Amino acid sequence: QSALTQPASVSGSPGQSITISCSGTSSDVGGFNYVSWYQHHPGKGPKLMIYDVSNRPSGVSNRFSGSKSGNTASLTISGLQAEDEADYYCNSYTSSSTWVFGGGTKLTVL
Amino acid sequence: EVQVLESGGGLVQPGGSLRLSCAASGFTFSTYAMSWVRQAPGKGLEWVSSISGYGDSTYYADSVKGRFTISRDTSKNTLYLQMHSLRAEDTAIYYCAKKTSTSGFDFWGQGTLVTVSS
């Protein structure tokens, strides 16, 4: 199972919006509405930010939103804040009954 | 409060074995699937294995299939990962994660470090 494709890095200034893409195939991202997104700060456990493509867990800011079109999912962060600087990973269920992560995207807040 | 706490990591020689544990609390353990996810040094997250709520279904990444075994003891609210034939490329921080009822892993531990080296 190959990792989903994410950009290695994205950046934005405070207050701006950024979008991170996550490309897969019809056997994972495109085949199921089971895409989730994680924020990961070094030394800590990852934090679930979005599940089932576009749902936010309780406590996650509404500045975070998710969507999907075809085989590509996206995470958008609006009103960027310094505390958003972290690594972000997408994850999808697959037709093999397994799960696959994206390679990760490092977000830098300028 | 939901908590998951991993233990059992350490230094092991190539070809050796190790068993990781994950103690869970704050939720009905048998209701939710659980998973192991790892992160090798300088690399991204990699899903390793998952087990259903009652332990009757297990799933593995190709990279560990046949070498790792996931299990759970609902009487102890504990998840396990038995690792055999360890390789240098298994060196990673191993995270235990509770799965939601649909997609997503909603609670994670701090991880336990496994180092495979001679």
Side-chain angles (χ1 to χ4, degrees):
Chain A
Q1 181 66 50
S2 299
L4 305 175
T5 300
Q6 298 181 231
S9 63
V10 298
S11 62
S13 299
Q16 289 186 330
S17 295
I18 64 94
T19 296
I20 299 172
S21 61
C22 171
S23 296
T25 69
S26 58
S27 295
D28 38 63
V29 174
F32 309 91
N33 287 323
Y34 287 156
V35 176
S36 54
W37 289 89
Y38 302 85
Q39 178 189 69
H40 192 201
H41 289 105
K44 301 179 71 174
K47 178 183 179 182
L48 177 66
M49 306 303 286
I50 296 288
Y51 68 97
D52 295 354
V53 176
S54 59
N55 293 314
R56 273 188 312 276
S58 174
V60 172
S61 171
N62 60 9
R63 297 185 298 105
F64 292 83
S65 61
S67 62
K68 189 184 85 167
S69 177
N71 296 337
T72 299
S74 299
L75 172 71
T76 297
I77 308 174
S78 59
L80 267 181
Q81 299 179 0
E83 68 212 46
D84 299 332
E85 187 162 292
D87 296 322
Y88 290 84
Y89 295 87
C90 61
N91 177 270
S92 175
Y93 184 66
T94 82
S95 58
S96 301
S97 301
T98 60
W99 300 87
V100 61
F101 281 94
T105 298
K106 182 177 182 60
L107 169 62
T108 300
V109 180
L110 302 171
Chain B
E1 179 190 7
V2 173
Q3 289 189 325
V4 292
L5 181 63
E6 306 92 342
S7 61
L11 175 63
V12 60
Q13 293 188 337
S17 299
L18 204 60
R19 189 179 81 158
L20 306 183
S21 299
C22 170
S25 61
F27 63 100
T28 305
F29 187 62
S30 60
T31 298
Y32 295 94
M34 298 290 294
S35 296
W36 290 97
V37 175
R38 68 185 181 183
Q39 183 176 36
K43 304 292 185 181
L45 299 177
E46 179 189 15
W47 173 82
V48 173
S49 181
S50 292
I51 186 168
S52 60
Y54 285 98
D56 51 337
S57 296
T58 58
Y59 309 90
Y60 299 93
D62 288 343
S63 58
V64 306
K65 197 173 296 182
R67 302 187 299 122
F68 289 12
T69 301
I70 190 171
S71 62
R72 64 194 299 162
D73 185 337
T74 54
S75 68
K76 297 181 179 179
N77 283 3
T78 301
L79 175 73
Y80 302 100
L81 186 67
Q82 178 68 56
M83 304 184 293
H84 293 298
S85 303
L86 283 162
R87 308 165 179 167
E89 53 264 38
D90 295 317
T91 294
I93 297 172
Y94 285 73
Y95 296 99
C96 163
K98 169 187 170 291
K99 192 179 161 301
T100 69
S101 56
T102 53
S103 73
F105 307 101
D106 55 353
F107 289 93
W108 298 65
Q110 293 293 309
T112 187
L113 176 62
V114 172
T115 302
V116 184
S117 174
S118 55

